[in-house]
């Protein structure tokens, strides 16, 4: 119904269809400047330190190559799926196992960093191996595909939208262990210093992914990333974003 009580002729799925149509046209989010525009899907868990820092790093890469960037924030699983289907120009950052092998996505020549999946607990019983997770109630972020690689069978799985919800579940004894990226775990410990963080359960290089239709962007983006890593700019972005008390 509209404001005057008349029936709305648009179908219920119109907003989603409209977004997809904008993404698949050359005029999506038009840029009034001279730079070309790229649309990058990213997990909508904007409170996650890893996502916030990732956005800063990737934006700098595109700026270095004279490319404008627009982020499309969607649930984590949908972010990579949309990129795989060509509904965006790329995806913020994923480890290789989180991207379908036959998807038309190409990684930059060098990884951004190594992603480290760790466990958090309040009872001092963090888990440092897949076997140590057996029989436990495990919380993790919905849509993070890398978690599946470390989950044993027959465990109780509870998903949330951000790491701070995981802390709440730990504090209320609703889960035994929470799994998240190390950057987010370190940030979470600033909120609750009693959190214990285990050794990495999984460590893998994390890449920025570009849809094959934009493969011409990859040489410049890869060179820009290598320069940022060599100059220490990546480390500075992370240190400034997290605070020296959380960086190890």
């Amino acid at each position: 119904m509209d404001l005057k009580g008349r029936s709305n002729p648009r179908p219920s799925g119109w907003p989603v269809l409209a977004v997809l149509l904008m993404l698949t046209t050359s005029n999506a989010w038009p840029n009034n400047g001279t730079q070309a525009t790229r649309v990058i899907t990213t997990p909508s868990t904007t409170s996650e330190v890893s996502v916030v820092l990732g956005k800063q790093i990737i934006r700098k890469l595109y700026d270095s190559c004279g490319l404008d960037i627009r982020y499309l924030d969607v649930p984590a699983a949908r972010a990579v799926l949309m990129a795989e289907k060509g509904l965006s120009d790329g995806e913020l950052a994923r480890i290789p196992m989180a991207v379908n092998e036959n998807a038309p996505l190409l990684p930059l020549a060098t990884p951004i960093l190594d992603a480290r999946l760790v466990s958090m607990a309040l009872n001092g019983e963090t888990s440092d191996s897949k076997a140590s997770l057996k029989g436990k109630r495990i919380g993790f972020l919905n849509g993070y595909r890398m978690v599946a690689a470390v989950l044993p069978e027959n465990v109780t799985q509870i998903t949330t939208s951000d790491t701070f919800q995981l802390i709440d579940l730990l504090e209320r004894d609703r889960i035994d262990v929470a799994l998240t990226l190390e950057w987010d775990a370190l940030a979470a410990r600033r909120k609750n210093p009693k959190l214990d963080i285990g050794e990495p359960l999984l460590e893998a290089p994390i890449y920025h992914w570009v849809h094959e239709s934009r493969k011409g962007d990859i040489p410049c983006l890869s060179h820009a990333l290598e320069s940022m890593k060599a100059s220490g700019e990546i480390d500075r972005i992370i240190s400034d974003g997290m605070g020296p008390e959380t960086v190890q």
Side-chain angles (χ1 to χ4, degrees):
M1 301 290 287
D2 61 17
L3 293 177
K4 296 181 179 181
R6 296 174 300 195
S7 296
N8 191 339
R10 294 171 178 166
S12 61
W14 182 86
V16 174
L17 291 174
V19 169
L20 296 182
L21 286 172
M22 285 193 295
L23 285 173
T24 54
T25 63
S26 59
N27 292 322
W29 289 294
N31 180 20
N32 295 326
T34 59
Q35 291 178 308
T37 301
R38 301 290 185 261
V39 176
I40 305 298
T41 46
T42 177
S44 53
T45 51
T46 52
S47 63
E48 297 300 294
V49 168
S50 57
V51 175
V52 173
L53 297 180
K55 284 183 172 182
Q56 293 178 18
I57 292 169
I58 298 306
R59 185 175 294 281
K60 283 183 174 290
L61 292 185
Y62 279 80
D63 284 345
S64 297
C65 294
L67 296 169
D68 193 15
I69 190 172
R70 296 290 184 270
Y71 287 122
L72 179 63
D73 297 333
V74 296
R78 192 182 305 167
V80 67
L81 181 63
M82 290 181 68
E84 289 171 344
K85 290 183 176 296
L87 298 175
S88 69
D89 297 305
E91 210 276 340
L92 184 70
R94 299 277 170 162
I95 64 174
M97 72 170 61
V99 177
N100 289 326
E101 185 176 354
N102 297 321
L105 293 179
L106 303 171
L108 299 190
T110 185
I112 305 168
L113 289 167
D114 282 341
R116 292 154 58 103
L117 183 71
V118 299
S119 64
M120 298 188 301
L122 284 172
N123 55 10
E125 297 181 4
T126 55
S127 299
D128 300 331
S129 68
K130 182 174 180 177
S132 63
L133 293 172
K134 289 182 178 179
K136 294 184 177 179
R137 299 168 298 169
I138 301 171
F140 57 92
L141 271 63
N142 187 35
Y144 276 38
R145 293 181 179 178
M146 66 188 299
V147 172
V150 302
L151 288 179
E153 296 180 359
N154 301 320
V155 296
T156 301
Q157 302 179 26
I158 301 174
T159 60
T160 70
S161 61
D162 62 50
T163 298
F164 292 107
Q165 289 184 18
L166 291 177
I167 298 175
D168 182 62
L169 290 173
L170 285 171
E171 291 173 342
R172 293 190 290 122
D173 194 30
R174 298 296 179 86
I175 58 175
D176 302 308
V177 175
L179 302 181
T180 192
L181 294 178
E182 185 177 44
W183 302 296
D184 300 319
L186 291 170
R189 194 162 61 186
R190 295 174 65 180
K191 180 179 179 181
N192 188 336
K194 295 181 180 179
L195 278 173
D196 295 312
I197 300 175
E199 294 298 316
L201 290 157
L202 177 67
E203 187 168 357
I206 188 168
Y207 291 87
H208 174 60
W209 297 82
V210 176
H211 191 267
E212 63 181 12
S213 63
R214 299 295 192 185
K215 63 182 180 181
D217 296 343
I218 292 179
C220 182
L221 293 173
S222 295
H223 177 72
L225 178 57
E226 290 165 1
S227 297
M228 288 177 66
K229 293 177 72 173
S231 69
E233 186 173 4
I234 298 287
D235 293 335
R236 286 194 295 273
I237 290 173
I238 294 173
S239 178
D240 292 344
M242 296 185 65
E245 68 271 25
T246 61
V247 178
Q248 294 182 342

